[in-house]
């Protein structure tokens, strides 16, 4: 896993800084006589069919985001990213201006160790309002938190649950 992450970071550098295509960026890894890189799997460790994401597919997504203007390395705010990455500040990940990923909220806030904070929709709604977030798409079960914490603040809420 660490080797795969390192390869992705190196290849991302080649796409972002050296303006290589994703295919060109991964080409340099082809000659190594080592086991293949692992596909990305979600935080629960799922590698079920249909949930696998290769380094090349990830680089193609990055390349597409660059071409569509969704990501600009010169405008990427590292300090802001690191601030919101902290679980106490929301465990938010803003990889580009149009997409925000965050740990799903819960009905009641609680802290379970340094990295175990879980926060309410109202906590997130404050941040979202300040940053112009207009909609939330929930990917987990509806009973995890009440959507009203967002909708009552004028933030649209959609469910897209999958198993």
């Amino acid at each position: 896993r660490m080797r795969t992450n390192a390869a992705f970071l190196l290849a991302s550098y080649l796409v972002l800084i050296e303006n290589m295509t994703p295919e060109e960026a991964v080409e340099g890894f082809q000659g190594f006589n080592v086991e293949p890189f692992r596909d990305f799997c979600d935080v629960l460790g799922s590698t079920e069919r249909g949930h696998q994401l290769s380094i090349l597919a990830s680089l193609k997504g990055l390349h597409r985001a660059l071409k569509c203007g969704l990501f600009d390395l010169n405008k990427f705010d590292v300090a802001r990213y690191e601030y919101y990455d902290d679980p106490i500040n929301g465990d938010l990940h803003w990889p580009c201006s149009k997409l925000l990923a965050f740990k799903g909220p819960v009905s009641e806030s609680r802290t379970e160790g340094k990295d175990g904070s879980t926060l309410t929709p109202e906590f997130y709604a404050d941040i979202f309002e300040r940053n112009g977030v207009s909609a939330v798409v929930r990917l987990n079960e509806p009973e995890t938190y009440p959507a009203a914490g967002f909708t009552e603040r004028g933030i649209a809420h959609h469910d897209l649950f999958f198993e």
Side-chain angles (χ1 to χ4, degrees):
R1 179 176 166 200
M2 289 176 64
R3 192 171 54 84
T4 300
N5 289 346
F8 176 74
L9 289 173
L10 288 168
S12 294
Y13 171 85
L14 295 174
V15 171
L16 289 167
I17 306 301
E18 301 297 331
N19 296 312
M20 288 186 175
T21 67
E23 293 80 7
E24 291 169 335
V26 297
E27 189 175 294
F29 297 109
Q30 303 303 321
F32 291 106
N33 188 18
V34 294
E35 65 182 79
F37 293 112
R38 293 177 56 185
D39 286 342
F40 168 81
C41 61
D42 66 26
V43 294
L44 299 176
S46 174
T47 55
E48 294 176 18
R49 183 167 252 239
H51 292 89
Q52 297 172 337
L53 191 60
S54 68
I55 291 175
L56 180 59
S58 299
L59 291 171
K60 285 181 177 182
L62 175 61
H63 191 253
R64 177 78 179 231
L66 288 168
K67 295 297 179 204
C68 293
L70 293 175
F71 183 78
D72 183 343
L73 188 60
N74 296 318
K75 294 180 182 177
F76 186 76
D77 187 340
V78 174
R80 178 179 185 228
Y81 185 88
E82 289 177 344
Y83 174 82
Y84 283 119
D85 178 53
D86 188 319
I88 292 176
N89 298 324
D91 201 6
L92 303 164
H93 302 276
W94 240 296
C96 66
S97 62
K98 300 287 184 185
L99 178 65
L100 164 70
F102 67 107
K103 183 177 181 179
V106 293
S107 297
E108 295 180 27
S109 289
R110 62 184 182 273
T111 301
E112 300 165 357
K114 183 182 181 315
D115 295 333
S117 295
T118 51
L119 305 161
T120 64
E122 292 78 12
F123 174 89
Y124 289 109
D126 288 341
I127 296 169
F128 294 174
E129 283 179 333
R130 287 193 306 268
N131 289 281
V133 173
S134 59
V136 170
V137 178
R138 174 172 37 201
L139 302 176
N140 51 359
E141 298 85 1
E143 52 276 353
T144 55
Y145 67 88
F150 293 113
T151 58
E152 289 174 358
R153 303 280 285 279
I155 299 170
H157 190 277
H158 309 279
D159 284 313
L160 186 61
F161 176 68
F162 65 94
E163 292 183 21

